[in-house]
Amino acid sequence: MIAQDDPIASAAPDDLIAYAWALASQPTAADAPGDGARSALAAQLKAFLAAERAAALAALDAGASAPVLAKRLAAAHDLALQAAFAFAERRAVDLKSAQDRLALVALGGFGRAEMAPFSDLDMLFLTNKAKPSPWSETLTETILYVLWDVGLKIGHAQRGLDESVRLARGDAQILTPLLEARAIAGDADLAATLFTRIEAETIAADAGAFLASKLAERDARHEKAGASRFLVEPNVKDGKGGLRDLQTIVWILRHAYGEAGIETLIKRGLLTAREVARLRLAERFMWQIRFWIHALRGRADERLTFDLQPEIARRLRFRDGGGLSSVERLMKRYFLAARDVGSLTRWACAALEQDFAKSPPRAFGDFVAKAMGRLPGGIVLRGGRLDFEAPEHERKPDRIMALFAAAALRGYDIHPAALSACARNLPVIDDASRGEPKTVQYFLSALTAQRAPGQSLRRMNEAGVLGRFLPEFGRIVGQTQFNMYHHFTVDEHTLNAIEVISDIDNGRCVKEHPLASSFIHSIRNRRALFLAMLLHDVGKGKGDQQAEGARAARAACLRLGLPEDEADLVAWLVGRHLLMSDTAQKRDLGDPATITTFAREVGSIERLRMLVVITIADIRAVGPGIWNGWKGQLLRDLFRLTEAALRGGRTDSGEIAQILDDRARAARRALRAQVSNETAAQLRAEFGNSETAYWLAFDAAAHVWHAREADSM
């Protein structure tokens, strides 16, 4: 047991390894409770790591780079593990044979020397034998006990050299962390042998299968963390467009080419130097956020939740401005970074996938394109993806827009090289091209396509083309609202809404939305409907959202060359897109004044139908669980009452009151037809004089249930 005044009871960081060795050398009394030496070492290591963590966070607050600090924390943990290894090695010295060898190998993020303040430690206890010896088992156990006493969360495995290589060859999940492994302590030659064999026996072996495995893992991870990269409480590490997506592309490159680092993307012609620089900027920003999440939580956590966003915005020195709060500016910056990570890594992975699959040459793609018929704007099909017919087309705005029109009309995905070319050539989309008839025609074809407008618009947004062509939309890209109602960024919400309309249009929502499904094909101006949905939130962050949005939408439509009456219709829909939900949910639909006011505002059945579709799509696109049957019933009731008033050609209070009374009488008759004569007589006595509002507020099934409950009392 270590005495309190023992000269080796404490140590400076530089002496930790010697201190650990000395502690392990001290004799322990047979009757001493617990393991005093191990406890003393754990306390020293815990204090050391806490001090290193505090120093890193102080540097972070002063503006230091989080990736640099991540390496500093990894180095501190290296030293702690080396001290634990020295302690365990000294303790087990009597058990070691001449043949025993063991190396402590860092894996995963620890292997990359990247650690957030409370990251887990993943490691391999590598032995030279198929079965662990008493020495290696004791060594491993002692190290783990020390680390657990420190409070570290450890992921570990103990394997022999041959088993490690064999498992890595057959399992991509085991191979992946070994691609970035490094030796921490123990037998350096044994670790080097492992790295050499991994390099020789797994690198470039079946690169296509490894890529497919990593992409499948990525998709499953995205599904678990949230399928959209634009969730307003994103997972910075595992979410779509997060740090793990960057790590995935590095793993794929390491396995395929034996080269580390995302700069390999430049060397292999997969991305440009400017695109890789964008990835580096995004990575640094996400690491800054991740560090602060850990610091403020005091534990490992990867979600940028609402409660943390204001403090992290303050720590990163964001300020209110441009109509956005500091939090909204932080989140906009984050989502633009996530878009860069998501789009650029997707393009690179798609290019690698096509390369590994030995895709057919360009001439074959041209042959397929001719066989399937001429695509608009000189677009061809290569390897199952749409591409520009010639390199010079990449710099022509009408051909860029033709690419997305073809994707929407035909349902094909777009070649990653073509998307990358679009992003690189955004400056060619200028004021002149925004009103050029052919370019506008292709854009409107993509927007209103029957097959897949949502997917095409997402690709357009991913490449930056949508916001460049429609500056009104560009200002809401990555924009959030700091509240718990909205689940997505404004642009993602808008594209979700477009997809809802497309689903209704294609008959996929008949059960959920029978009313909208029944008349959507009767709407005469499909173009105005889709434009209004695309532009419905462009006024957010500019004062009166609906009024500002209407002005911006009208200007955009006139620039696109729409007639003034159509531009006015789009502006009206944008300026009133909340009118129907507010009226249905916040007003008394049994009050004639409510229906009168609403009918006068709407003015026509065409507008009423368009407003129903936009309202449904807007609510559904907010997020899961927002739409429900109650909201649907309210909208249907408001529609039918307003439609009756508009068909009658009168919107005065007296006419509306008569319509409401007629519907109430019909509801009474329907109820009497479903109950016994005795109950019907009682109903006339008890419900005969009920207000019209009661009969309009509930459906027929509810009326029957109320009547039978009253009859049983």
Side-chain angles (χ1 to χ4, degrees):
M1 186 172 179
I2 303 298
Q4 291 295 319
D5 58 351
D6 194 296
I8 64 167
S10 62
D14 292 343
D15 302 325
L16 275 176
I17 296 174
Y19 169 70
W21 185 271
L23 275 176
S25 302
Q26 297 298 301
T28 302
D31 59 349
D35 188 336
R38 195 182 82 202
S39 297
L41 176 61
Q44 189 72 21
L45 295 181
K46 189 171 187 176
F48 165 66
L49 292 175
E52 286 293 308
R53 192 179 298 119
L57 294 178
L60 181 73
D61 203 24
S65 166
V68 172
L69 297 176
K71 294 191 179 301
R72 171 176 173 169
L73 286 181
H77 284 80
D78 286 357
L79 184 55
L81 263 67
Q82 289 160 5
F85 189 95
F87 179 84
E89 188 176 32
R90 179 65 184 86
R91 277 282 180 91
V93 67
D94 294 337
L95 298 174
K96 187 175 183 180
S97 70
Q99 291 77 35
D100 277 329
R101 300 169 67 191
L102 185 143
L104 186 56
V105 177
L107 305 174
F110 188 31
R112 289 191 304 276
E114 291 179 350
M115 289 197 67
F118 294 96
S119 290
D120 300 348
L121 296 180
D122 293 323
M123 63 187 72
L124 170 66
F125 292 89
L126 178 68
T127 66
N128 62 321
K129 298 179 179 180
K131 292 183 178 180
S133 68
W135 172 79
S136 64
E137 282 191 324
T138 300
L139 192 67
T140 299
E141 182 180 275
T142 303
I143 292 170
L144 289 173
Y145 275 128
V146 170
L147 299 179
W148 289 333
D149 288 346
V150 172
L152 297 175
K153 189 174 181 181
I154 309 297
H156 70 281
Q158 185 178 45
R159 298 192 187 104
L161 175 62
D162 292 336
E163 181 188 18
S164 296
V165 176
R166 177 177 58 80
L167 291 175
R169 284 200 303 260
D171 190 328
Q173 286 190 313
I174 293 175
L175 171 61
T176 300
L178 286 170
L179 293 174
E180 300 173 305
R182 61 190 178 89
I184 296 294
D187 194 313
D189 290 339
L190 179 62
T193 302
L194 172 67
F195 303 152
T196 299
R197 289 189 60 183
I198 290 293
E199 188 86 18
E201 299 179 38
T202 68
I203 296 300
D206 203 356
F210 183 82
L211 171 66
S213 171
K214 290 295 103 182
L215 295 184
E217 286 178 21
R218 179 199 64 186
D219 293 343
R221 172 169 43 81
H222 289 170
E223 191 64 32
K224 182 177 180 181
S228 171
R229 74 176 63 103
F230 301 110
L231 290 168
V232 293
E233 290 188 302
N235 187 310
V236 176
K237 178 183 176 184
D238 292 324
K240 198 170 186 178
L243 288 166
R244 185 71 81 193
D245 282 358
L246 273 173
Q247 292 158 6
T248 297
I249 192 69
V250 171
W251 292 330
I252 293 168
L253 293 169
R254 177 79 177 88
H255 178 266
Y257 305 117
E259 300 170 0
I262 60 174
E263 281 70 22
T264 304
L265 293 167
I266 305 171
K267 180 179 178 181
R268 296 288 169 175
L270 300 169
L271 293 178
T272 65
R274 179 173 293 183
E275 288 166 341
V276 169
R278 284 163 55 194
L279 287 179
R280 283 296 188 199
L281 285 174
E283 178 185 37
R284 183 182 187 278
F285 182 64
M286 289 181 181
W287 265 104
Q288 302 290 121
I289 291 176
R290 189 181 181 209
F291 252 69
W292 278 119
I293 292 174
H294 279 226
L296 295 172
R297 287 281 188 234
R299 57 180 171 80
D301 190 4
E302 311 301 343
R303 287 186 67 217
L304 182 51
T305 52
F306 283 124
D307 59 315
L308 294 179
Q309 289 172 14
E311 181 61 17
I312 291 179
R314 187 184 72 80
R315 298 278 188 165
L316 295 181
R317 297 170 178 80
F318 281 86
R319 300 287 183 266
D320 297 351
L324 300 177
S325 69
S326 60
V327 174
E328 289 166 342
R329 294 184 73 190
L330 164 73
M331 298 310 296
K332 186 178 181 79
R333 168 80 182 277
Y334 172 82
F335 288 118
L336 291 176
R339 185 184 70 173
D340 279 347
V341 170
S343 59
L344 292 172
T345 57
R346 193 185 77 83
W347 300 346
C349 285
L352 285 165
E353 190 176 23
Q354 190 160 326
D355 184 44
F356 296 156
K358 308 294 184 187
S359 297
R362 182 171 186 169
F364 181 78
D366 292 343
F367 170 77
V368 173
K370 291 174 183 176
M372 66 176 286
R374 188 71 177 174
L375 291 169
I379 304 302
V380 296
L381 194 67
R382 293 197 179 95
R385 294 184 174 100
L386 296 168
D387 198 0
F388 293 107
E389 187 174 18
E392 59 268 21
H393 293 169
E394 299 171 356
R395 295 179 293 277
K396 295 182 178 181
D398 63 320
R399 299 303 175 93
I400 290 174
M401 204 58 73
L403 181 72
F404 297 102
L409 293 167
R410 301 300 183 103
Y412 287 105
D413 201 358
I414 298 174
H415 196 289
L419 283 173
S420 180
C422 291
R424 289 197 301 271
N425 290 294
L426 288 179
V428 304
I429 301 175
D430 54 16
D431 288 341
S433 63
R434 292 184 184 108
E436 196 277 319
K438 189 181 292 185
T439 306
V440 170
Q441 178 187 348
Y442 285 135
F443 168 71
L444 293 175
S445 295
L447 174 63
T448 61
Q450 184 81 26
R451 186 191 290 266
Q455 179 179 332
S456 179
L457 290 171
R458 285 185 193 284
R459 295 288 179 259
M460 203 185 296
N461 195 35
E462 184 179 297
V465 172
L466 183 54
R468 180 76 181 182
F469 184 72
L470 274 182
E472 295 82 2
F473 187 89
R475 64 171 298 278
I476 62 169
V477 171
Q479 186 172 322
T480 64
Q481 287 183 285
F482 185 56
N483 60 54
M484 299 185 71
Y485 177 70
H486 293 89
H487 292 236
F488 303 102
T489 58
V490 180
D491 57 321
E492 180 74 356
H493 159 77
T494 298
L495 298 181
N496 288 343
I498 292 286
E499 289 183 329
V500 173
I501 294 182
S502 179
D503 286 343
I504 295 172
D505 189 34
N506 284 283
R508 292 189 284 266
C509 296
V510 174
K511 184 177 180 180
E512 298 93 331
H513 305 296
L515 178 64
S517 299
S518 70
F519 60 61
I520 190 166
H521 295 132
S522 299
I523 292 175
R524 294 188 297 274
N525 199 327
R526 176 188 178 86
R527 182 169 70 180
L529 176 68
F530 276 86
L531 275 169
M533 194 78 264
L534 183 67
L535 298 168
H536 80 283
D537 270 347
V538 296
K540 281 196 171 177
K542 294 178 66 176
D544 185 332
Q545 171 194 336
Q546 293 187 92
E548 294 292 339
R551 280 192 285 272
R554 188 176 191 278
C557 289
L558 292 175
R559 187 175 63 247
L560 293 172
L562 269 64
E564 288 215 13
D565 59 342
E566 189 174 6
D568 289 340
L569 173 59
V570 173
W572 184 89
L573 289 167
V574 171
R576 308 293 191 285
H577 75 271
L578 297 176
L579 175 64
M580 192 164 197
S581 60
D582 284 347
T583 302
Q585 296 176 40
K586 300 176 183 178
R587 299 288 185 269
D588 179 6
L589 300 187
D591 183 353
T594 298
I595 307 303
T596 298
T597 302
F598 182 74
R600 285 175 177 169
E601 183 74 19
V602 174
S604 73
I605 291 176
E606 171 80 353
R607 283 185 174 185
L608 178 63
R609 288 172 171 171
M610 297 173 88
L611 208 54
V612 168
V613 174
I614 286 174
T615 302
I616 290 171
D618 193 20
I619 296 173
R620 282 284 301 271
V622 168
I626 301 300
W627 177 265
N628 55 45
W630 172 73
K631 291 176 181 176
Q633 186 60 52
L634 289 177
L635 288 180
R636 288 191 291 273
D637 289 344
L638 179 56
F639 173 84
R640 291 186 178 113
L641 292 169
T642 307
E643 182 190 39
L646 293 172
R647 285 194 185 282
R650 295 182 61 189
T651 57
D652 59 274
S653 296
E655 179 71 16
I656 298 296
Q658 184 61 51
I659 292 170
L660 295 177
D661 287 341
D662 290 345
R663 289 176 64 88
R665 281 193 293 272
R668 292 189 190 98
R669 287 194 299 271
L671 175 60
R672 286 197 294 270
Q674 295 188 58
V675 297
S676 66
N677 291 335
E678 182 179 342
T679 302
Q682 184 177 347
L683 288 174
R684 280 193 293 272
E686 296 186 15
F687 289 88
N689 295 321
S690 295
E691 291 186 2
T692 298
Y694 165 76
W695 296 100
L696 300 178
F698 299 98
D699 60 17
H703 292 152
V704 172
W705 182 78
H706 292 164
R708 288 174 177 162
E709 286 295 306
D711 190 36
S712 65
M713 294 176 64

